[in-house]
Amino acid sequence: MTRLDAVVVGAGPNGLSAAVTLARAGLRVQLLEAHDQVGGGLSSAGLTLPGFVHDLGSAIHPLAVASPAFRQWPLHAFGLRWVYPEVPAAQTLPGGRSVLLRRDLDATAEGLGRDGAAWRRLLGPLVADWEGLLHDILRPLLRVPGHPVTLARFGLRALPPAEALGRALLRTPEARALWAGLAAHSALPLSTPGTSAMTLVLAVLAHAVGWPLPAGGAQAFADALRAYFEHLGGEVLTGVRVDGPRDLPPARVTLVDSSPGVLLRLLGDRAPAAYRAQLEGFRYGAGIQKFDYALSGPVPWASPDLVRAGTVHVGGSFAEIVRSEAGWRSERPYVLTAQPSLFDAGRAPQGQHTFWAYAHTPNGSAADVAPQVEAQLERFAPGFGERVLARHVTTAPQLQAFSPVFGGGDVNGGASTLWGLLARPNLAVTPYRTPVRGMYLCSSSAPPGGGIHGMAGHNAALTALSDEFGIGEVP
């Protein structure tokens, strides 16, 4: 067998990104995937009824359209087309009301009344240099920043708990609820230091690039990455399980888009005891229980403005969301939802719709939270249950079984605490490297963590290119 330059294990978004980066450098690369299609958390399937296309993992992709890796590649030439909802995101409020996170910063501020000026002060400077901000935060944190002023401005607001910062800077129920709905993406109690970071990033992206979705479903995005990789000369093998070192083809470098546990299994007895102990202590965050619905019509929101938003944070007031995320056992849970077929009609038969939702659960929990989730949906969309034609439920253990990188159902690939982001998967200047030469981790369990941005794969591939091939830049 001819030795490959590189093999990538796992064709999730980071594995695909790593493979493309290596192939762009002229390497002979093979990409191995256990499933019959590429994508991992960036894939789609018919989970409910014929004609309905559901996203198995992520549905809305603000980080993808802003990603320094994806933005430089001609993915549009391989079938990727972005669809932009009129309103990136919205937050339900008690009493049938809502508040909108609009693409335009000033329009959002105007909708926040007396909190509008505070919203502009908080986000305006970061939106103005959003590319510089992403350049620094989508890489390992232990490095010299390229945009120190912007990063310092971000850090001052990112380090406090989202609950404390929301109370300190915002006064109106509308602005506070909008802030809490964004903060809950962190899957941490909002009293946790650092939860303001994800809140800020998501708000900045809404104003800078929007929160789009791929036409046809997340699978279209993964398939575009695959097609581009193959155009560059790469080879994809699906239906291939890699359970141990003997399953790896000969290659100069191996990049692993999976969990730290899988990486240790592939390293085998070559992993030093200290490194093994660090990775065995890797911590995951909250799990999720996910719901995919086939509906007979659009969600009957009490607030008519919500049909303009691609993403709807269902959770009521600031205090309700804080309480829900404090322990994930609330009778009124925070529910993250997306309604792609309102903007991408090909996702469902004419006049019918898909609806995507999840609620946080304790890590690894298979407890059924459907009654609480659907009561919350009914609260803000009276008559929702009458429109459900079919429902598919994915528990946290089932999500982990689908991909080990989602340990215990954690879609962020590891806890998003400050330490969890700094020491991911271990404390190192270049955490993609392992102590075994030629072996690298390129999944969301490495910096910058969860989200569809491909930067863990891209950064790991750049590290491998420099270490093993002396290639400092990729054309």
Side-chain angles (χ1 to χ4, degrees), residues 89-472:
Q91 174 65 47
T92 60
L93 295 170
R97 298 178 302 120
S98 63
V99 59
L100 305 182
L101 179 63
R102 302 174 190 267
R103 174 75 181 268
D104 185 78
L105 175 64
D106 290 331
T108 300
E110 289 171 10
L112 297 178
R114 62 192 179 102
D115 273 329
W119 193 264
R120 286 191 188 93
R121 286 194 300 271
L122 179 62
L123 292 166
L126 298 177
V127 172
D129 189 25
W130 67 270
E131 290 179 277
L133 176 64
L134 291 188
H135 176 273
D136 283 336
I137 65 174
L138 293 182
R139 287 168 171 80
L141 297 179
L142 295 177
R143 60 191 298 274
V144 178
H147 302 263
V149 174
T150 297
L151 187 61
R153 181 180 285 119
F154 171 76
L156 287 172
R157 295 306 193 193
L159 291 176
E163 179 183 5
L165 193 64
R167 292 188 188 280
L169 298 183
L170 304 171
R171 295 288 180 266
T172 64
E174 293 80 8
R176 285 185 170 182
L178 180 62
W179 178 260
L182 292 167
H185 281 253
S186 67
L188 293 166
L190 304 196
S191 58
T192 307
T195 42
S196 292
M198 186 175 291
T199 318
L200 288 169
V201 170
L202 290 172
V204 166
L205 291 172
H207 297 313
V209 298
W211 286 19
L213 51 121
Q219 190 65 51
F221 187 7
D223 288 346
L225 284 164
R226 173 179 181 164
Y228 181 39
F229 172 60
E230 292 176 329
H231 170 77
L232 294 168
E235 181 184 17
V236 178
L237 300 180
T238 57
V240 177
R241 293 196 60 86
V242 179
D243 294 318
R246 294 182 180 181
D247 298 323
L248 291 170
R252 191 163 169 183
V253 298
T254 299
L255 284 76
V256 180
D257 180 16
S258 193
S259 68
V262 169
L263 174 64
L264 284 175
R265 195 161 68 237
L266 296 182
L267 291 174
D269 57 12
R270 296 176 294 169
Y275 184 73
R276 179 173 292 277
Q278 287 179 313
L279 265 61
E280 287 176 343
F282 185 79
R283 295 187 61 184
Y284 286 96
I288 66 165
Q289 187 162 126
K290 180 172 175 286
F291 303 84
D292 290 285
Y293 294 95
L295 302 179
S296 62
V299 177
W301 299 110
S303 170
D305 280 343
L306 294 179
V307 298
R308 301 161 62 192
T311 300
V312 180
H313 300 145
V314 178
S317 69
F318 178 88
E320 284 183 49
I321 299 171
V322 168
R323 186 162 52 248
S324 167
E325 296 304 283
W328 308 296
R329 297 181 186 276
S330 172
E331 288 301 307
R332 288 186 165 182
Y334 166 86
V335 186
L336 177 58
T337 75
Q339 38 192 7
S341 58
L342 285 179
F343 312 95
D344 186 14
R347 304 285 190 101
Q350 187 173 3
Q352 300 177 328
H353 288 276
T354 61
F355 189 58
W356 176 106
Y358 76 64
H360 293 127
T361 66
N363 187 273
S365 173
D368 183 16
V369 298
Q372 293 89 343
V373 165
E374 294 186 346
Q376 188 77 315
L377 293 174
E378 196 74 31
R379 173 188 173 198
F380 293 102
F384 172 80
E386 297 172 9
R387 298 199 176 179
V388 175
L389 301 173
R391 179 188 72 177
H392 182 274
V393 180
T394 305
T395 64
Q398 288 170 335
L399 191 61
Q400 178 175 320
F402 173 73
S403 174
V405 77
F406 302 132
D410 177 2
V411 295
N412 289 319
S416 297
T417 59
L418 289 175
W419 180 253
L421 292 174
L422 184 65
R424 193 179 188 97
N426 62 316
L427 187 62
V429 174
T430 309
Y432 313 106
R433 292 192 190 108
T434 75
V436 176
R437 182 168 181 176
M439 291 288 292
Y440 298 84
L441 180 67
C442 70
S443 72
S444 58
S445 295
I452 306 297
H453 42 65
M455 289 302 293
H458 181 61
N459 294 337
L462 292 177
T463 302
L465 287 170
S466 176
D467 288 351
E468 304 296 334
F469 299 93
I471 299 175

Side-chain angles (χ1 to χ4, degrees), residues 8-22:
V8 180
V9 179
N14 283 301
L16 286 161
S17 177
V20 166
T21 303
L22 295 167

